[in-house]
Amino acid sequence: MALLPILRYPDPRLFTRAAPVVQVNDALRRLAADMAETMYAAPGIGLAATQVNVHKQLIVIDVSEDHSQLMTLINPELLDRGGQCESEEGCLSVPGVYEKVSRAERVRVRALDLEGRSFELDAEGLLAVCIQHEMDHLQGKVFVQYLSSLKQGRIRSKLAKQARITA
């Protein structure tokens, strides 16, 4: 397994729509394993393939404290959503930035697993928020796009300053 470089906002590649996975094979399983290792090392609770510059509909998520509930969603599709919640979100592609975002409180999603089998999942709370956040990445959307233009500008400036300091 390998750690993968994570694209940082406002990298234009983050705004690329991911293509559906046509075949679940060993290469895709290897990518999912590398993504999970990258997510855990970051540390984070979700990572979309778009964030590692692979534009396929693939997400890894683990919202457990002990990293024991890794989920892989291939070609995820939102079937239903309900309720509304506002929670603070962060993103591995937008390091050090946390802002309140409004999302559905509950979701039902259909996806493929690492064997190519279809499954459906009902999620609520943090897991539901995480699924929506990562699915946005597959559509070329970063959570800061839910914020005002002023906040987006401040975030871009902050990240540019961080990049200059670490360069």
Side-chain angles (χ1 to χ4, degrees):
M1 293 197 295
L3 291 180
L4 304 169
I6 298 172
L7 299 177
R8 296 181 83 163
Y9 178 82
D11 190 308
R13 294 171 292 182
L14 286 169
F15 307 109
T16 304
R17 291 177 75 93
V21 170
V22 177
Q23 182 181 22
V24 178
N25 56 25
D26 287 341
L28 190 78
R29 286 186 277 276
R30 211 168 16 263
L31 173 61
D34 290 346
M35 286 172 56
E37 183 178 3
T38 301
M39 173 187 72
Y40 289 135
I45 60 171
L47 188 66
T50 302
Q51 293 176 270
V52 294
N53 199 30
V54 176
H55 303 287
K56 295 180 180 177
Q57 292 183 15
L58 172 63
I59 294 170
V60 294
I61 293 174
D62 189 343
V63 298
S64 69
E65 294 284 326
D66 61 355
H67 301 169
S68 64
Q69 297 173 17
L70 179 63
M71 284 186 265
T72 303
L73 288 79
I74 301 166
N75 298 339
E77 172 186 2
L78 210 50
L79 300 176
D80 193 24
R81 64 177 77 207
Q84 191 168 4
C85 66
E86 187 174 84
S87 57
E88 194 169 75
E89 291 187 26
C91 180
L92 296 178
S93 292
V94 193
V97 174
Y98 301 90
E99 293 286 343
K100 287 204 178 288
V101 176
S102 183
R103 296 198 186 264
E105 187 176 39
R106 296 176 309 281
V107 297
R108 180 171 192 81
V109 65
R110 178 187 303 132
L112 300 178
D113 66 14
L114 287 170
E115 299 306 316
R117 295 181 301 248
S118 180
F119 69 95
E120 290 187 10
L121 171 70
D122 289 309
E124 58 184 39
L126 180 58
L127 180 57
V129 167
C130 190
I131 288 170
Q132 293 169 85
H133 177 109
E134 300 308 330
M135 286 182 71
D136 275 355
H137 279 299
L138 300 182
Q139 299 304 314
K141 189 168 187 175
V142 180
F143 89 101
V144 297
Q145 292 175 268
Y146 288 99
L147 308 175
S148 70
S149 298
L150 179 65
K151 280 190 177 180
Q152 288 181 47
R154 286 182 181 158
I155 291 167
R156 275 193 295 278
S157 297
K158 177 182 179 177
L159 293 175
K161 184 177 179 182
Q162 284 175 358
R164 284 194 304 275
I165 290 169
T166 58

